[in-house]
Amino acid sequence: MVPTEIKLMADKRSIDVYLKLLESGSEKKRDIRLVVVGKKGAGKTSLVRRLFGEDIKDVTSTNGIEIHKIKCKAMSDDGIWNKLDENYEETQTHARLFKEYMGKLQDKRTIKEPVEAHTAIKDNNPAISLNESEKSETVSKQPDIIKPPKAEPPVTPQQSNQSSEQAARDFETMLTAKSKVDVHDKEEYATFLLWDFAGDEEFYHTHQTFLSQDAMYLVVTKLNEADDPNAQALFRLWIDSIHCYSRLEEGNISSDKTTLCDNDPPVVIVGTWKDAVTSETDSKNIEIACRENLLKYTNELADDERGHLRCEYFISNKDDECIAFQQIRQNILNLARGMRTWNIDYPLKFIQLEQRLQEKKKDLPIISYQKIKNYSTDIPEPLSEEELILFLEFHHELRALVYFKDLSEYIILDTQWLSDAFRCIVTAQKFRINIRNQKEWNDFFQRGKLNNAVLEDIFKNETTILYEHKDFILKVMEKFDIIIHPNKSEDIDASPCYYVPCMIKEECPCDIYQMFNVPEDTRHRSTWLCFKFRFLPPHLKNHLIASLSRRYSIAQVCISNQKKMQIAIFHNIVVFELQKTKLRKLLVTTCPNAIQIQVLEFGKGIERGLFKDIADFVEMELKKIIHTRFNMSNVKFEKKWECGHTKPEFVTGINEFDGEQMTEYYYCETCKLTHKFMDEWSDLQRKSLCLPHCSNDAEQSNPHLETPSKKQRISTKVRCFFQGDMRAFSNVTDESTRTSSLNGLTKEEMNFAKMGMIVLNILADVLYDLLRSDKPHLPPRSDCDITYLYKELRRLNKDIPSNRWGGTWQNILVTDIAIGDDIERIRLIRNDLQHSRTFTLDDKRFNELYIIIVDLVKRFDLHNKPTKLYTEQLKVIMAKTVSEEEVKRINHQLINKLKLEMTMDIEIEQE
């Protein structure tokens, strides 16, 4: 029964109190995600039903992901879970506001003075924020206290009136719903969002989209299959996935953990099918037998993975009494109380937007960012854009909605709808019936080829809203590399198609070398470069294949039993074209704990250091995937190598990259022969640099040539370090890195020369003009190169990059456009050229750098205000015809302007 005085407060004063509450009030949030994962047939869905106290008759396998909402008492812990329907959310939001309103209204201070803010709310700031330095879209940081939001434009009288009218309507709606609210119920409640993940292997690659740091995980496994290697592998896959994709970073781990070895997120293991575990004696021995079987699953786990494990249960979904499941429920709640998201302060003003979105969610599972922005301003206490982003990021972490900064065009309000959309494409075959386009569907299930005919079949059979937003769904799937879009389809005239790596079952039909007619000569097969992991994180190979497919075209091959060409992408092997001439290909293979690459050379042969840029790119992409996209700080790899004649399936990466053996011969266990290590991947060999006695003695310019000596020499090698310019040695190294003559320029050479002109002139001018504004007495421009200018700007430390000084390309996002970010871009572009050994630049990389430079110089045109715009200078260089002499001059300048610390062996000769 609502007190009489409350009914009398539905006036301006009450609405003012209501607005004040929205403005500065907060509540304690206790929303916990509980994710249930495990092998198909392990009994996950039955377990979920038993946890709800439901019957398990007619249980069917989960198709994709099923999401349930649960309400339970947060403190009294009676072990009862109430499953909530969709209508609960609307009632709940009114109840949350109404209870807070009642609490303030019954406080005598409410009548005499404005409502006091909670201690977590100051200066109108929301109590939560997400750390904006977090770059991964799959995982996000715990909310923190934020800086004061930027000042908003003053509110006009008209807007104020509209806000008051909206507040009055909302207030009346809240009072109307009060009959459903028990204001005398002082119990605190928790809400669990339970996600039941399908166990079919096809779904595993989509699940990474929904893993997060602030979830709890139930890993379900069949106790009676403990001796099955496949079951063991799938159990480890889930533990690996949770550990890699969801683990909290060191700085976010709570300091009040019960034990130092605990890692978040917490994992509870539930062993099912206890009734199928046999024992010769009593139930006590059944318990021992179950534990022994569980140890077979956990035997291969690493120590840091074991830190996630909190407890384990052995159950029979069919035979166990309800008390067994009540114990699981109670323990889950106890674990939830210790999580960092428990009792988080949440601004009440956010509830207004929640209410609006709940109304829209009934009709639209997906909404544009512009619409949601309009809703956020058309409420009694409007949200600033910064607050809106905080709202979206917080709810994205709970997966109450899905929001990606780099795909912010739409926000997905119904996560179940997104899961269903994924399921339509990456689906288990048993769910697909009445299939049209049989051949295309067979290609999809065997080769993972997703062409337009299959896509049309999928989307036209679904809802209109899904069909209308299929392009956005595909973008999300491509973002997470669930699907990839190769550079080249199998037929030149065919419509572009996607590939789904996790759906590819087709094995390579024959020896890969025979398929591409690779010569057996060692000059045509590089050594294997192996990236070895303690464990290879799930789906990492698919992420790498997606990265490579965006840079290179996948090779085409004619399969003997087929008439058409098809691209060379198989279950564990992919072949990429490195050149338009098709004379160089990249072979990528995977095994349980390693990714291996090899270059197949059909041209002049393999030379020292020839493939360093490929190795660097692959290593950079792996680090980007591991550290930037998914923050898998615990994942590490090491580089090894092996003889190029080793068959892909037998490569183990047994050899270290040891500097002492870079120029040595080695005995190959595979070939039973002696090979010379070419070091085509890294070119780490020590360079002996001899100062010639006579400048016209050509032979002495090469220290590796053996020449007859008329006099006996005693040689002593001295290790010297040089910090400075290479000009002193330019007479020795003049064009020594050139491997081809300048009789006619290739497109790649012209690209390199033009990019060199841009770097040496325009980009250096940019830094010089930038530094001159803060350091007037600079040396003449002709004496200042990018290395010097960068060092001075970094020392000045005025324009700090978004991440850090001296980072790599993967540290800079497209959205990072601060001056410091552009300084780093200039340094990296300069490095790309100066560290090149071939003085060539293919069209793809040239265009990538050119796009970066265009945006960069536009920003500096506005900031530096040069006499002649950098963009105009850029146009002049791009329109220029490059001569052979200019190519030679640019190459020479790049060599001579390279400042680095050099380790050199100088031979001191005595007669």
Side-chain angles (χ1 to χ4, degrees), residues 239 270 478 597 812 821 874 901:
I239 299 296
V270 180
E478 198 168 2
I597 63 174
I812 307 177
D821 300 323
L874 185 61
E901 182 174 79

Side-chain angles (χ1 to χ4, degrees), residues 555-614:
Q556 299 182 65
V557 65
C558 182
I559 305 299
S560 57
N561 60 346
Q562 299 180 15
K563 295 180 180 179
K564 288 186 176 181
M565 300 281 284
Q566 74 172 57
I567 64 174
I569 180 168
F570 304 101
H571 181 55
N572 280 323
I573 292 180
V574 186
V575 182
F576 295 91
E577 296 286 4
L578 296 176
Q579 294 179 330
K580 290 182 178 179
T581 59
K582 301 186 179 182
L583 293 177
R584 187 176 295 161
K585 304 181 192 299
L586 177 66
L587 173 61
V588 182
T589 69
T590 59
C591 64
N593 292 311
I595 295 174
Q596 297 134 181
I597 63 174
Q598 181 184 48
V599 174
L600 310 177
E601 177 66 57
F602 297 85
K604 60 185 178 182
I606 294 170
E607 299 175 3
R608 188 181 297 277
L610 188 60
F611 308 136
K612 182 180 184 302
D613 60 327
I614 300 170

Side-chain angles (χ1 to χ4, degrees), residues 522-791:
T522 55
R523 295 182 301 110
H524 297 281
R525 300 182 191 180
S526 75
T527 54
W528 284 98
L529 177 59
C530 308
F531 299 90
K532 298 194 72 173
F533 297 78
R534 183 187 63 78
F535 64 87
L536 184 61
H539 324 304
L540 182 58
K541 67 175 183 179
N542 292 339
H543 294 308
L544 178 62
I545 288 171
S547 295
L548 289 168
S549 69
R550 287 188 279 267
R551 182 180 177 92
Y552 305 114
S553 297
I554 298 179
Q556 299 182 65
V557 65
C558 182
I559 305 299
S560 57
N561 60 346
Q562 299 180 15
K563 295 180 180 179
K564 288 186 176 181
M565 300 281 284
Q566 74 172 57
I567 64 174
I569 180 168
F570 304 101
H571 181 55
N572 280 323
I573 292 180
V574 186
V575 182
F576 295 91
E577 296 286 4
L578 296 176
Q579 294 179 330
K580 290 182 178 179
T581 59
K582 301 186 179 182
L583 293 177
R584 187 176 295 161
K585 304 181 192 299
L586 177 66
L587 173 61
V588 182
T589 69
T590 59
C591 64
N593 292 311
I595 295 174
Q596 297 134 181
I597 63 174
Q598 181 184 48
V599 174
L600 310 177
E601 177 66 57
F602 297 85
K604 60 185 178 182
I606 294 170
E607 299 175 3
R608 188 181 297 277
L610 188 60
F611 308 136
K612 182 180 184 302
D613 60 327
I614 300 170
D616 288 347
F617 176 77
V618 174
E619 183 176 6
M620 180 184 71
E621 286 302 306
L622 286 174
K623 289 180 178 178
K624 184 190 298 183
I625 294 163
I626 292 169
H627 299 298
T628 304
R629 293 183 61 187
F630 297 105
N631 288 318
M632 296 184 284
S633 56
N634 53 306
V635 176
K636 295 177 175 61
F637 61 84
E638 55 183 348
K639 292 191 293 185
K640 301 291 188 74
W641 64 274
E642 192 161 336
C643 170
H645 269 239
T646 307
K647 295 280 187 173
E649 60 270 25
F650 299 119
V651 176
T652 57
I654 59 175
N655 300 306
E656 302 278 352
F657 278 98
D658 185 354
E660 294 300 322
Q661 66 179 197
M662 287 300 122
T663 58
E664 299 295 329
Y665 287 88
Y666 70 96
Y667 180 74
C668 176
E669 294 288 348
T670 302
C671 303
K672 307 300 181 185
L673 294 171
T674 300
H675 300 314
K676 185 173 182 178
F677 183 63
M678 289 298 298
D679 194 18
E680 60 268 53
W681 293 112
S682 58
D683 197 18
L684 292 176
Q685 79 284 359
R686 295 188 175 93
K687 292 180 170 62
S688 298
L689 197 58
C690 290
L691 300 179
H693 291 284
C694 177
S695 61
N696 60 3
D697 188 348
E699 291 179 340
Q700 287 188 350
S701 68
N702 188 339
H704 299 294
L705 290 179
E706 297 182 4
T707 56
S709 176
K710 295 180 180 179
K711 299 179 181 180
Q712 186 178 7
R713 295 175 179 174
I714 302 173
S715 299
T716 303
K717 287 192 175 181
V718 180
R719 178 63 45 83
C720 300
F721 293 89
F722 292 84
Q723 178 69 40
D725 209 315
M726 289 183 65
R727 291 187 182 92
F729 310 107
S730 61
N731 60 328
V732 179
T733 61
D734 186 23
E735 294 193 72
S736 61
T737 55
R738 292 284 293 170
T739 58
S740 61
S741 69
L742 287 170
N743 296 327
L745 296 177
T746 66
K747 182 66 180 301
E748 289 77 14
E749 288 173 321
M750 287 189 287
N751 286 344
F752 188 89
K754 285 191 176 184
M755 191 57 64
M757 292 177 186
I758 294 169
V759 169
L760 293 170
N761 297 288
I762 300 174
L763 298 189
D765 286 347
V766 165
L767 296 188
Y768 187 83
D769 295 342
L770 178 64
L771 183 60
R772 185 168 52 184
S773 62
D774 295 303
K775 190 173 180 180
H777 304 294
L778 276 176
R781 167 67 184 86
S782 57
D783 294 341
C784 299
D785 61 7
I786 287 179
T787 303
Y788 168 79
L789 296 167
Y790 172 81
K791 184 174 68 174

